[in-house]
Structures are given as structure tokens and as C-alpha cells.
Amino acid sequence: MVRRVAVVGAGSSGLACIKICVDEGLEPVCFESSDDIGGLWNFRETPEPERTSIYRSLVVNTSKEMMCFSDFPMPADYPNFMHNSQLLQYLRLYAEHFDLLRYINFQTTVRSVLQRPDFSLSGQWEVVTINKNGQEERHIFDAVLVCSGHYTHPTLPLSDFQGHETFSGRCLHSWEYKDADAFTGKRVVVVGIGNSGGDIAVEISRSAEKTFLSTRQGAWVMGRMSTNGVPLDIAVIKRINNVLFQLLPKTLVNWVAERALNNKYDHRLYGLKPKHRLMERKPIINDDLPGRILQGAIVMKHNLEGFKDSRVVFEDGTVEENIDAVVFCTGYIGKFPFLPSTLSEGPYEEVTLYKRVFPPSLHPPTLAVMGLFQAKGPIMPTVEMQARWAVKVFLGQSRLPPKEKMLDVIEKYFFLSYPCPRQAVLQVDYIPYLDFMAGEVGVQPKLLRLFLRDPALWAKVFFGPCTPYQYRLSGPGNWSGARQAIFTQWERVAQPFRTREIPENTSKFGLGGTRCRLSLGDPVKNILPHWVLMMIAVCAI
């Protein structure tokens, strides 16, 4: 019988796991190596080895209504896209509200997590920790939730580039980057065009003499705003859109979506156009990158090939002179050195996980890894659902398929159209993935029942944004405030804008009033983004 659960890490994932364990009557014990909660979102001036690190200016890419925990909405006055310090404050509010801090052992590092000799019968783990005084302690747990994240071991591929040993400038990984102060007046190359690469290139370009952004594949770039200035994710991540994506030809969806993006800024003209189609991979979110390219502050370049003294050579043969620094935004290796090496069964020695949660080789399944995925959607509610599912599996209330079937599910992801197989296995489709886990937990929204019993709520759930509250409407762990949270979600979107109210009658055409702004939340008026409506029109023809 599972009772005591070890939670490794007290970031956003660890806090959600502690809360869910308590909800299910379990006894969580959390080990956090630092002296505070927040994990990735707790900015520190100096990066510390084997810990996450972010830059000072980091702003979230998902809006507050989409990324909050399912039974704890963010404060209405929070901006829709928060600075990292505000997200940390939200995590503090969450921990305080649910009294989670008392379960956390700070300044305690997990050294190893090993199966007990009788694991096949008991499913128990021996967890070895080192406290702040350097003392080693051993603990026995019935289950383990790994919430240490996968942004702790940066990939710095210097050995791939000839001449790096004699390069006169500085080479660093984005993990070390904090702000652009050190690059004022410099000539800088940023390698990699993920979200971090785009952010860092934009920030450096505001003070550097010249900034070059080197990319191997290119990328589709989208801003945080959608039609009428509402957050992009709240306008796009909807059940109705998910249905359409499954029904309409992918070629048509890609053509219409790419056309809409290119009407804002031609990706080929701007040197951004990637080799892949828009819907095949996650786009990068950046409000300023096209503008900085337009102003000449950022120059797009091909993939980096090598170094020659102070020069940087690119794959198309071009050379940039007098480069002072190269910032590598080249990702991370998902390492968990405290876990048994037998769990790293992948072809690249990565931890192999069924549905991005459970190692298929473990029986009984009493260890789960949280947050090791990439999705076109927010991370926090996804991890929360992973934890709800994992705990149900620990308690025997949800069953995993046989090992062979789990391995078959994992293997198919290696054939996705990603340049790196390690990236391919991390991909999940946001709403289908949440719905799968919700079905295992017993909390998936029952759309037909909602349609018959509560049509107004059904319209919000099906046509409106797929906010996390939907997974608290019914079933285990349901929250009495979920329905009200759904009906008031657009009020919280509008609240931070209400710093200068404009009376409706001051607008000649009736477009600037409060009523118009709030109508953005109408599930009929705001069913689809314009590009999806265009697709429907094309199909109708």
C-alpha cells in the first residue's frame, strides 16, 4: 500500500505534486536542493551547477488563464503574460494557500534513488539525501515523483566547431546569460533560434554594436497577441480548433496558417523561413524579433560552421569579423544522475518514458517523471495532470498497459519529423494529451452530458479556451469553483487592461467600449481565429 511519496524538487511541478499527494491522502516528503521554492522561476544573479537558470528579463510565453493550476486561478490584476518574478509570486501564493511549505526539506540534495532489494514485491525505493550540514541520510519511500526538471545540464557543442580553441572571443551557453550589460558595444553571434535564442538576440541587439542570429533550420515566429490583442494561446487552444485540426487536411491547415503569418512578415524575406511546415513543430514566441530584423539590429545567418581567430564562419561560406562573443542557445540534456542507470534505456541514453511519465521497465510502476515533454501549450497544468495520473497509478486506481505496448507507443515518436530524435520523443499534442490523462484519472469533461445538462457551460468548454478549470468540473478532485472560474475567465483577462477606462459613447464607431472588449469572451463570437474561419470557407467552396 503506497503511503509515503518522495518528491524531488520544489519548483512549480514539485509544488503541484505535493498538493495532489495531500489531496489523495498520501504523505509527501519533498527534497529541494536550494533554500527556496520556484525552481526555474526563481531568478538568481549567479548560475549554480546542476540547477536551472533564467535571464533577468524572462517573460512567460503562455497567458495566465491557460497556465494556472486547475483549482487556483491567478490574481485578476496580474498581466496576461507575466515577468518571471510575478510567476514566482503566484507559486508562493499557491504554496501558502494549500500549506505546502511544511512538506519541503530545503537545502537537501537527492544523491540517489535506488530500488529496494524486494522492489518486485514492495515497489519501494531507498532515497539517499545530503542535508545542508553535509550529512547523508537514507529514507524509504513507497513511490517517487521526479520534479527536478530538464534544464540543468546545458549542451555546449564547442567540439563540433573547428577553431573554437583559438577563438579570441567569449563562448557561453544561454544557461549562463543573465542580461545584456556585458555585450554593450560588442559584436555578438547568438546560435539557435528557440524561444531563448530569440529573446536573447533581441535583448542583446538593443545595446550591442551588431547582433547575428545563426540558425540551422529556421523557425516560424509568432507574437503573443492574437486578433483584437487577446493572448494568442487563449484564442487558439480550444476544443473546436482541435477537432478541426483532426478533420481538415494538414496541407490546407499549414497553407492557411503560414499565409496568415507571412502576411504579417514574410518569413523568407526576413531570413526566418524554416524547412518544416508550421504545424509540424512548435513555433517560437517572440513579439520583437521581426522588428529588430527590420531595423537591421539583428542579422539572420546560416548555421555556424567554425571559428578563425576573431572571425566566425557560417555554412554558406560567409564570415563575420571581430566577433566578441558567441552565445549558444543549444538546449539541454535531460539528465537525472540520481536515478538508476537501468532507466536510461533510450538510444541516446535518455530516460525512456511511456506517455512522458512512466519508465516502462518498472513493475510495479512506483516512479514517475514530471515535466519531461514539449507541447504547444502551457506546462504547469500539464504537469499537474501528469501528477494526478501518476498518483492514481501509485494507488492502483489506474492501470498501465503491458511493457511491450508501452514500448511500441514510445517507438512511434522516433519517426516524427524532428531533426533530433531526442526532441521527437518529447513531443505531445496538448489537448489530446491532457484528455488522455484526464480519462485515466476520471476527470475528462463529458461533453455530451454538459450539452444536455448545462448548455451554457458546454459552449464555454467546447468553443472557448481549454483552460485548466475544465478538468475540475467533475470526477475525483473536483472543485466547486471550477464552473464559476470558467464563466469569469475573460473578466480576469480584461482586468489588467482596466487602467484607463474609456466610456462607450466616446467611440464614434462603437469599437472602443468596455462591452466590446468583454465580448471577446463570447463563445460564439470568438469561436475561432480568423485563419481557421478562412479554412472553413475554403472547404465550403
Side-chain angles (χ1 to χ4, degrees), residues 9-20 37-38 69 91 94-95 100 104:
S12 60
S13 301
L15 294 175
C17 286
I18 295 169
K19 192 259 183 187
I20 289 161
I37 65 169
F69 292 121
L91 296 177
Y94 181 76
L100 305 180
I104 304 174

Side-chain angles (χ1 to χ4, degrees), residues 55 174 190-202 213 284 286 289 298 329:
Y55 37 98
S174 58
V190 177
V191 179
I193 196 172
N195 286 323
S196 295
D199 284 351
I200 291 172
V202 165
L213 180 54
I284 76 165
N286 197 294
L289 179 58
I298 292 178
C329 303

Side-chain angles (χ1 to χ4, degrees), residues 444-455 458 461-462:
Q444 184 177 358
K446 302 185 187 316
L447 295 178
L448 179 58
R449 183 181 297 178
L450 282 177
F451 177 75
L452 296 173
R453 295 184 178 180
D454 195 341
W458 171 83
V461 170
F462 187 67

Side-chain angles (χ1 to χ4, degrees), residues 135-205:
Q135 298 172 327
E136 184 177 282
E137 298 178 309
R138 296 177 180 271
H139 317 261
I140 305 300
F141 288 99
D142 300 309
V144 177
L145 290 165
V146 178
C147 308
S148 56
H150 58 288
Y151 298 114
T152 55
H153 295 83
T155 301
L156 186 59
L158 284 179
S159 59
D160 294 345
F161 304 109
Q162 185 176 0
H164 71 90
E165 304 92 342
T166 58
F167 176 56
S168 60
R170 178 189 177 195
C171 291
L172 68 153
H173 191 274
S174 58
W175 178 83
E176 301 175 62
Y177 176 85
K178 292 300 175 181
D179 55 45
D181 291 353
F183 304 99
T184 301
K186 307 291 187 181
R187 291 171 59 83
V188 183
V189 175
V190 177
V191 179
I193 196 172
N195 286 323
S196 295
D199 284 351
I200 291 172
V202 165
E203 184 167 83
I204 288 178
S205 74

Side-chain angles (χ1 to χ4, degrees), residues 75 92 185 198 230 237 271 279 297 304 308 453 460 472 512 521:
R92 295 196 193 285
V230 301
I237 302 177
M279 306 307 293
L304 181 67
K308 290 183 179 179
R453 295 184 178 180
K460 296 282 188 183
R472 292 286 182 177

Side-chain angles (χ1 to χ4, degrees), residues 371-428:
L372 191 58
F373 62 86
Q374 292 180 357
K376 295 175 183 176
I379 292 175
M380 283 168 44
T382 309
V383 172
E384 182 187 35
M385 187 60 71
Q386 285 184 328
R388 295 175 75 181
W389 179 33
V391 168
K392 290 295 182 184
V393 171
F394 293 164
L395 293 171
Q397 297 171 11
S398 177
R399 303 278 182 183
L400 299 181
K403 177 181 177 180
E404 293 74 19
K405 186 172 182 180
M406 289 192 282
L407 290 174
D408 287 343
V409 170
I410 293 168
E411 186 178 1
K412 75 175 185 180
Y413 285 96
F414 280 97
F415 297 98
L416 295 177
S417 57
Y418 275 75
C420 175
R422 282 176 288 184
Q423 288 183 335
V425 297
L426 296 176
Q427 307 308 307
V428 296

Side-chain angles (χ1 to χ4, degrees), residues 267-422:
H267 280 61
R268 182 183 297 277
L269 177 65
Y270 277 56
L272 293 166
K273 183 175 171 58
K275 299 176 182 178
H276 60 269
R277 305 302 302 271
L278 174 58
M279 306 307 293
E280 291 176 352
R281 297 182 203 163
K282 190 175 180 178
I284 76 165
I285 305 297
N286 197 294
D287 300 314
D288 302 318
L289 179 58
R292 299 304 289 169
I293 296 173
L294 185 64
Q295 297 166 30
I298 292 178
V299 177
M300 296 301 301
K301 301 294 291 186
H302 282 277
N303 194 33
L304 181 67
E305 185 176 80
F307 300 88
K308 290 183 179 179
D309 300 324
S310 65
R311 293 172 290 172
V312 170
V313 183
F314 300 93
E315 285 187 348
D316 62 347
T318 59
V319 178
E320 293 298 338
E321 307 276 352
N322 302 318
I323 298 300
D324 298 291
V326 178
V327 183
F328 286 87
C329 303
T330 44
Y332 295 81
I333 301 173
K335 284 185 177 180
F336 302 93
F338 52 85
L339 291 181
S341 58
T342 54
L343 299 185
S344 301
E345 300 175 313
Y348 299 93
E349 297 185 354
E350 73 277 8
V351 176
T352 306
L353 300 172
Y354 169 67
K355 294 292 184 179
R356 307 308 314 144
V357 177
F358 293 101
S361 59
L362 284 182
H363 187 77
T366 55
L367 181 143
V369 178
M370 303 288 101
L372 191 58
F373 62 86
Q374 292 180 357
K376 295 175 183 176
I379 292 175
M380 283 168 44
T382 309
V383 172
E384 182 187 35
M385 187 60 71
Q386 285 184 328
R388 295 175 75 181
W389 179 33
V391 168
K392 290 295 182 184
V393 171
F394 293 164
L395 293 171
Q397 297 171 11
S398 177
R399 303 278 182 183
L400 299 181
K403 177 181 177 180
E404 293 74 19
K405 186 172 182 180
M406 289 192 282
L407 290 174
D408 287 343
V409 170
I410 293 168
E411 186 178 1
K412 75 175 185 180
Y413 285 96
F414 280 97
F415 297 98
L416 295 177
S417 57
Y418 275 75
C420 175
R422 282 176 288 184

Side-chain angles (χ1 to χ4, degrees), residues 235-248:
V236 172
I237 302 177
K238 302 179 179 182
R239 293 184 178 277
I240 178 63
N241 289 358
N242 190 59
V243 171
L244 288 171
F245 291 156
Q246 295 175 5
L247 294 177
L248 295 172

